[in-house]
Amino acid sequence: MGDALLTVSNLETYYGPIMAIRGVSFEVPRGRIVTILGANGAGKTTVLKTVSGVMDPQKGTVTFDGREIQGMDPDRVARLGLSHVPEGREIFPLLTVAENLGMGAYMRADADGVARDLEMVYGYFPVLRSRARQRAGQLSGGEQQMLAISRALMARPKMMLLDEPSLGLAPKLVNEIFEIIVRINREQHVTVLLVEQNANLALHMADYGYVLEVGRIVMEDTCARLRDKDDIKEFYLGMKEESVRGTRRWKRKKTWR
Amino acid sequence: MTGRFTVHGQATVPTLFRHVVAQRGDAIAMREKDLGIWRAVTWRQYGERARRAGLGLVALGLRPRDVVAIIADNCPEWLYTDLGTLSVGGVTNGIYTTDAPRQVEYIVNDSGTRFFFAGNEEQLDKILEVRARCPSLVKIVIYDTDGLHGFKDEQVMTFEELLDLGARYDAEHPDAWERMVEIAQPEDLAILVYTSGTTGPPKGAMLSHRNILFQLGFATFVAEPRPGDQQLSFLPLSHIAERSFTVFYPLRTGATVNFAESIDTVPDNLREVAPAVFFAVPRIWEKFYSAAALRMREATQLGSLAYRWALGVGMRMAEGRIAGRRPTPGLRLLYRVADFAVLDNLKRSMGLHRVRGAATGAAPIAPDLIKWYMALGIDLREVYGQTENCGLATAMPPDRIKLGTVGLARPDTDVRLSPHGEILLKGPHVFLGYYKNAERTAQTIVDGWLHTGDVGRMDGDGFVTITDRMKDIIITAGGKNITPSEIENQLKFSPFISDAVVIGDQRKFLSCLIMIDHETVAQFAQERNVPFTNFASLCRAREVQDLIWGEIERVNRQFARVETIKKFRLIEQLLTAEDEELTPTMKLKRTFVNRKYKDVIDSMYVEAS
């Protein structure tokens, strides 16, 4: 797949005695959007947390931009240019929007650059400019998601980890946000690793996809090809062949091919 | 009480069933897990429900010798239907739940099935899809109606409705049942078993009541029954081995049948049930062994040391037993310690600690695997047979074990070899023939001898060794005859190899296609930090290729040079029972694999030249 910005190899992560990630390997090429699909509890969030240093793996390596970062503290990982937009946004509700964005640029010393990036962020999400003085906790869910992405962008990352940006948002807003994510990827050359339950959206937006099931990758391919697979259609896109009765409740066995 | 063709003094399945139901009353006949709780069915209830099911069919117009097909996972309803049908003079035919609609269509039409039982919505859809082309079909009955709320169809009814219909018929015709139980005669056709047919369409083997009763006479060879014995039912009932074991065997022994929730939960259900008698195909025995071997590799140093020591003691016991020596008191004491400290725990972890009788059959098994189980103290006995002889033709006697052979002919039957080395069988276990196929029947039974299609040897003591299916024998380009299954069995003994097909007919050298064991190989890769994503990428990893080659070389050392495997390829798809490459018992179908992977196979020979 060419030049990999992020390479994850044989990752194993535990919650106490429970093995959440059972040997996962994948890579994200520079400048691309890669998605990891999976059901609840498949281990998607754990993968992101392990990559960004929030959790430490028991085993395996994470190589980012040529450096091994597994087990590194999250702030150091962030300094290397890897920003994590966590599930559920996790903005600072009592700070204003502008202050939240300032937190994103906390590690940066170039005031000029920060000011330019603030303009860039407001350019992508004009609504944040108009709400700049409001407390972030007063924003709508969609605005909070925009803020969380913007805050991550303020660190000028090489790569963003997005954990379910569509969670709890209206479909119209979801489309809007995803379009902007694609634009950010193209215009700012930020590599994106996206975890999503909205498979349809993710498979149309990303270049390459992995399917994670109970802590293991069972399938990988370009998104165009993944969209054509029977298992993906039935289990992730909700498309079923109709039976002779017109309805069908039973599920085929997953074969992952 | 049990004569040559009678069991408990009865000569047909219906009368035997009536007899044991009356005798056993409220003893437990079977259990099924429902929402996490094992629910029991007594013999009385079993008899009652079978009676209603049978009479319900009569009310729908079933006539003696009508064929009733069942396509469902193992469950009590399967048994009610089976014995209910037989008791009113009908014929039952189990269809594999993994069969596709067009296979179902073929079997229904070939057998002229009039009544069709579908286990659930998924199986129902198969018959609904093809019923327009099944003119003989009268009624479809469904067991599990989940997902069918609001579904109405003239031709479809639920099993409950059938039972109600049967109860009403019973009330109106109080002596019908007793009369019908007597309809079937010992020589009459009882069940049809369609053989999976690796070549050509499946054929319906006809088995009579006498075939079944005769085999039941020998059913206790693995262990004398005791009250309270449990057994677990999980292999497909459409296979003669599981059918005999789950449906007929308990008629003789009174053991309680426990239905596993699914094939995936077998290890858990096994621990819950802790059966006294256990029948499984080699693949299952291999899986248990692989799981244990894997656990031992992860064990602490002390743990693995203890395991190796205890297994060593067990092996000495097993070897002594095979050689016919009595163990010395010292060894016996040592074994008691080993059993107490290690082996018993291992057996408990598998749920096999109460097993008194264990059997393997339906596919070849590696002798070393049997020895491993013997070392644990599990008396695993190999049996050989086929559908056409009602399941069992030879069995390993308990007192004279010759590993690598399938034992001696079942008492009261004969085995001999044809001039070509084909194994021929004669006796009351030989089937009636193929349904409506006199030509194939005449080719298969010649002068009373059943031609098995297996080639093998027989030693001076009468022990039979199966070398291969006759049509599978490989003749290399150099003219050398090779029996691939001997090599394949050795390969399958590796915990990393799930199945293998050796290739080389008309070729310069032998090669093979290998299906890896997903779990163990994935764990191997993980331990060695070999990155992989999906199954194909696991297969392609250099280290995995080397690992499998290492296993092949280990096997190669046991064979002559012309019989060694020079090249191999891995099957990069994770196959399931629904795939045509596999038989329902998860064996690779040689002819099919040869055809489907022709390009892959050819590539091994192209590079070489």
Side-chain angles (χ1 to χ4, degrees):
Chain A
M1 274 204 298
D3 175 25
L5 179 59
L6 178 77
T7 307
V8 169
S9 171
N10 293 83
L11 209 60
E12 275 181 21
T13 308
Y14 287 75
Y15 288 102
I18 295 157
M19 196 184 205
I21 305 292
R22 309 194 298 157
V24 162
S25 306
F26 64 90
E27 49 179 61
V28 183
R30 199 180 293 274
R32 294 300 176 83
I33 302 179
V34 170
T35 184
I36 299 179
L37 303 178
N40 285 340
K44 306 181 298 288
T45 299
T46 314
V47 168
L48 293 194
K49 282 183 174 169
T50 312
V51 169
S52 67
V54 179
M55 292 181 73
D56 291 339
Q58 213 82 2
K59 211 173 163 206
T61 55
V62 180
T63 313
F64 178 67
D65 209 9
R67 280 181 71 170
E68 286 200 11
I69 59 165
Q70 72 276 6
M72 213 180 253
D73 284 339
D75 59 311
R76 290 194 52 207
V77 174
R79 265 177 233 274
L80 291 175
L82 202 152
S83 290
H84 187 169
V85 182
E87 188 178 359
R89 281 96 68 172
E90 310 270 345
I91 46 139
F92 303 105
L94 300 181
L95 300 185
T96 65
V97 168
E99 284 165 341
N100 263 284
L101 292 173
M103 292 303 283
Y106 180 74
M107 295 173 298
R108 294 172 62 180
D110 54 330
D112 289 358
V114 171
R116 259 199 319 275
D117 286 346
L118 195 62
E119 279 309 306
M120 165 195 83
V121 162
Y122 285 151
Y124 284 120
F125 301 108
V127 66
L128 295 182
R129 190 198 299 273
S130 60
R131 302 237 194 277
R133 298 286 145 228
Q134 276 183 33
R135 284 194 178 173
Q138 292 169 340
L139 299 185
S140 74
E143 290 162 351
Q144 288 187 10
Q145 187 63 59
M146 294 175 190
L147 177 58
I149 294 171
S150 302
R151 183 182 59 186
L153 271 179
M154 289 303 290
R156 269 263 150 220
K158 298 189 183 96
M159 179 169 184
M160 278 204 294
L161 309 180
L162 298 177
D163 197 347
E164 297 218 24
S166 75
L167 192 77
L169 302 188
K172 182 173 173 289
L173 214 55
V174 171
N175 283 330
E176 203 177 300
I177 287 178
F178 272 58
E179 273 167 28
I180 294 170
I181 293 171
V182 174
R183 272 180 57 206
I184 292 169
N185 166 256
R186 307 280 186 265
E187 295 165 11
Q188 309 299 324
H189 310 292
V190 177
T191 307
V192 174
L193 176 58
L194 169 74
V195 153
E196 251 307 330
Q197 291 216 14
N198 188 334
N200 192 18
L201 209 57
L203 285 178
H204 279 94
M205 164 181 168
D207 305 302
Y208 203 83
Y210 292 89
V211 180
L212 195 64
E213 285 241 324
V214 245
R216 259 200 196 136
I217 285 175
V218 291
M219 202 180 223
E220 61 161 313
D221 216 325
T222 62
C223 286
R225 269 192 296 230
L226 283 180
R227 286 197 300 266
D228 258 356
K229 305 262 184 186
D230 288 341
D231 279 344
I232 296 285
K233 278 188 198 161
E234 174 153 356
F235 297 104
Y236 285 90
L237 302 178
M239 294 151 64
K240 271 191 191 178
E241 291 163 39
E242 296 279 288
S243 83
V244 274
R245 286 179 295 112
T247 54
R248 177 157 76 87
R249 185 177 150 278
W250 54 275
K251 292 194 164 69
R252 292 186 305 110
K253 271 202 199 111
K254 295 177 193 172
T255 53
W256 302 124
R257 56 180 75 140
Chain B
M1 205 163 66
T2 297
R4 204 163 156 226
F5 303 120
T6 59
V7 172
H8 300 310
Q10 310 298 320
T12 66
V13 175
T15 54
L16 173 62
F17 181 57
R18 177 178 61 185
H19 175 82
V20 299
V21 165
Q23 292 262 306
R24 294 176 191 156
D26 291 326
I28 309 271
M30 50 183 133
R31 283 194 200 88
E32 182 188 34
K33 211 171 184 183
D34 179 29
L35 298 175
I37 295 168
W38 287 100
R39 300 201 185 274
V41 175
T42 65
W43 282 94
R44 192 190 309 282
Q45 290 168 322
Y46 186 3
E48 192 55 38
R49 287 170 199 169
R51 175 176 177 141
R52 288 186 189 167
L55 291 175
L57 286 170
V58 171
L60 289 171
L62 177 131
R63 301 167 310 226
R65 294 185 69 89
D66 272 359
V67 175
V68 172
I70 308 173
I71 182 165
D73 292 322
N74 303 12
C75 61
E77 288 79 8
W78 213 114
L79 274 57
Y80 306 150
T81 309
D82 195 3
L83 287 169
T85 301
L86 293 179
S87 294
V88 296
V91 173
T92 43
N93 169 28
I95 303 178
Y96 286 103
T97 54
T98 48
D99 277 0
R102 72 184 160 76
Q103 291 161 305
V104 171
E105 178 186 343
Y106 179 84
I107 292 174
V108 165
N109 286 333
D110 188 65
S111 61
T113 294
R114 297 191 69 219
F115 300 94
F116 189 95
F117 287 75
N120 54 25
E121 187 199 10
E122 178 178 1
Q123 305 301 341
L124 174 68
D125 279 354
K126 291 181 186 171
I127 188 70
L128 290 183
E129 197 178 318
V130 301
R131 66 171 163 180
R133 297 186 296 275
C134 300
S136 60
L137 202 62
V138 174
K139 205 81 183 175
I140 300 164
V141 183
I142 179 151
Y143 294 150
D144 181 353
T145 54
D146 275 2
L148 291 168
H149 185 75
F151 170 72
K152 273 271 166 285
D153 187 292
E154 278 286 284
Q155 208 178 10
V156 183
M157 71 193 296
T158 66
F159 191 67
E160 289 305 316
E161 288 165 355
L162 178 76
L163 293 186
D164 290 345
L165 192 63
R168 277 203 302 281
Y169 188 89
D170 203 5
E172 289 158 18
H173 307 80
D175 50 355
W177 176 256
E178 286 301 321
R179 204 180 62 242
M180 288 178 176
V181 166
E182 305 285 348
I183 292 176
Q185 295 304 304
E187 288 75 22
D188 283 350
L189 168 63
I191 64 174
L192 278 178
V193 179
Y194 275 81
T195 56
S196 42
T198 44
T199 50
K203 309 180 290 289
M206 299 189 289
L207 296 170
S208 67
H209 289 274
R210 198 168 92 148
N211 288 144
I212 296 168
L213 275 273
F214 173 70
Q215 290 291 33
L216 273 185
F218 189 57
T220 55
F221 77 100
V222 283
E224 271 308 309
R226 287 185 201 161
D229 276 355
Q230 305 294 320
Q231 55 183 69
L232 188 70
S233 173
F234 62 97
L235 293 170
L237 278 171
S238 33
H239 192 282
I240 185 65
E242 186 66 27
R243 180 77 164 278
S244 306
F245 186 59
T246 292
V247 184
F248 303 128
Y249 181 92
L251 297 179
R252 165 86 193 269
T253 65
T256 302
V257 174
N258 298 272
F259 293 100
E261 293 156 275
S262 76
I263 191 82
D264 302 322
T265 59
V266 166
D268 293 321
N269 295 145
L270 198 56
R271 279 190 289 272
E272 291 166 2
V273 170
V277 278
F278 191 65
F279 171 79
V281 292
R283 198 183 149 84
I284 302 280
W285 294 111
E286 283 157 11
K287 271 200 122 53
F288 291 165
Y289 163 76
S290 300
L294 212 60
R295 266 209 311 280
M296 284 311 138
R297 286 229 318 261
E298 287 191 330
T300 59
Q301 227 170 9
L302 182 70
S304 93
L305 215 64
Y307 165 72
R308 263 178 288 165
W309 171 78
L311 194 69
V313 174
M315 280 292 178
R316 274 162 60 200
M317 281 289 278
E319 276 156 14
R321 169 124 188 260
I322 293 162
R325 285 194 308 268
R326 283 181 61 80
T328 61
L331 182 59
R332 277 221 298 277
L333 184 70
L334 222 57
Y335 184 76
R336 291 250 295 274
V337 176
D339 189 45
F340 175 78
V342 182
L343 301 179
D344 191 53
N345 286 325
L346 191 58
K347 279 183 282 184
R348 269 174 201 282
S349 72
M350 297 190 279
L352 295 175
H353 55 289
R354 284 216 292 249
V355 166
R356 293 200 316 279
T360 174
I365 189 166
D368 285 346
L369 195 61
I370 295 186
K371 217 163 112 184
W372 186 79
Y373 282 101
M374 286 177 72
L376 296 192
I378 294 167
D379 200 14
L380 180 58
R381 309 251 295 276
E382 188 166 1
V383 299
Y384 159 76
Q386 48 187 197
T387 307
E388 287 81 351
N389 69 280
C390 202
L392 190 139
T394 71
M396 191 66 71
D399 42 356
R400 278 156 72 211
I401 294 166
K402 282 194 191 175
L403 289 189
T405 77
V406 291
L408 299 169
R410 181 214 181 285
D412 299 322
T413 69
D414 294 314
V415 177
R416 73 174 169 94
L417 295 182
S418 79
H420 307 293
E422 184 176 4
I423 289 171
L424 309 181
L425 307 172
K426 193 173 200 169
H429 57 344
V430 172
F431 75 144
L432 300 173
Y434 294 113
Y435 196 66
K436 293 182 183 161
N437 196 340
E439 193 188 336
R440 289 303 293 264
T441 304
Q443 289 166 3
T444 309
I445 309 175
V446 184
D447 299 330
W449 287 94
L450 171 67
H451 288 55
T452 61
D454 291 322
V455 275
R457 299 185 294 271
M458 231 166 118
D459 70 7
D461 298 330
F463 282 83
V464 178
T465 307
I466 310 294
T467 42
D468 222 315
R469 293 293 295 164
M470 205 141 155
K471 59 180 185 326
D472 289 345
I473 298 241
I474 290 174
I475 303 167
T476 61
K480 173 90 178 120
N481 278 26
I482 285 159
T483 50
S485 65
E486 280 182 287
I487 305 171
E488 287 159 8
N489 291 340
Q490 288 300 321
L491 287 170
K492 280 191 285 184
F493 187 59
S494 157
F496 301 109
I497 296 175
S498 167
D499 206 351
V501 170
V502 171
I503 293 142
D505 203 35
Q506 311 297 323
R507 307 269 194 182
K508 271 186 283 192
F509 57 87
L510 294 187
S511 66
C512 70
L513 286 178
I514 284 181
M515 182 160 83
I516 58 170
D517 185 291
H518 191 196
E519 276 300 309
T520 50
V521 174
Q523 181 151 359
F524 164 86
Q526 197 53 26
E527 279 168 12
R528 305 289 155 97
N529 284 323
V530 180
F532 67 96
T533 55
N534 53 13
F535 191 71
S537 93
L538 178 65
C539 288
R540 282 180 206 143
R542 175 87 259 146
E543 291 83 349
V544 170
Q545 295 270 333
D546 291 346
L547 169 79
I548 299 299
W549 180 241
E551 296 292 304
I552 293 173
E553 284 193 312
R554 180 182 58 75
V555 171
N556 274 344
R557 282 196 287 275
Q558 304 169 32
F559 290 94
R561 215 184 58 82
V562 284
E563 290 177 301
T564 57
I565 290 161
K566 306 287 192 296
K567 294 201 166 196
F568 76 102
R569 291 282 188 276
L570 302 182
I571 294 177
E572 291 184 352
Q573 270 189 356
L574 191 54
L575 298 174
T576 67
E578 272 82 4
D579 287 307
E580 287 191 279
E581 287 94 324
L582 295 184
T583 66
T585 42
M586 304 291 275
K587 286 185 276 185
L588 279 169
K589 287 185 197 162
R590 182 186 310 278
T591 41
F592 192 87
V593 164
N594 265 295
R595 214 167 41 236
K596 168 139 187 194
Y597 296 95
K598 189 173 178 303
D599 294 347
V600 179
I601 293 168
D602 286 345
S603 76
M604 289 192 274
Y605 292 94
V606 168
E607 286 167 30
S609 55

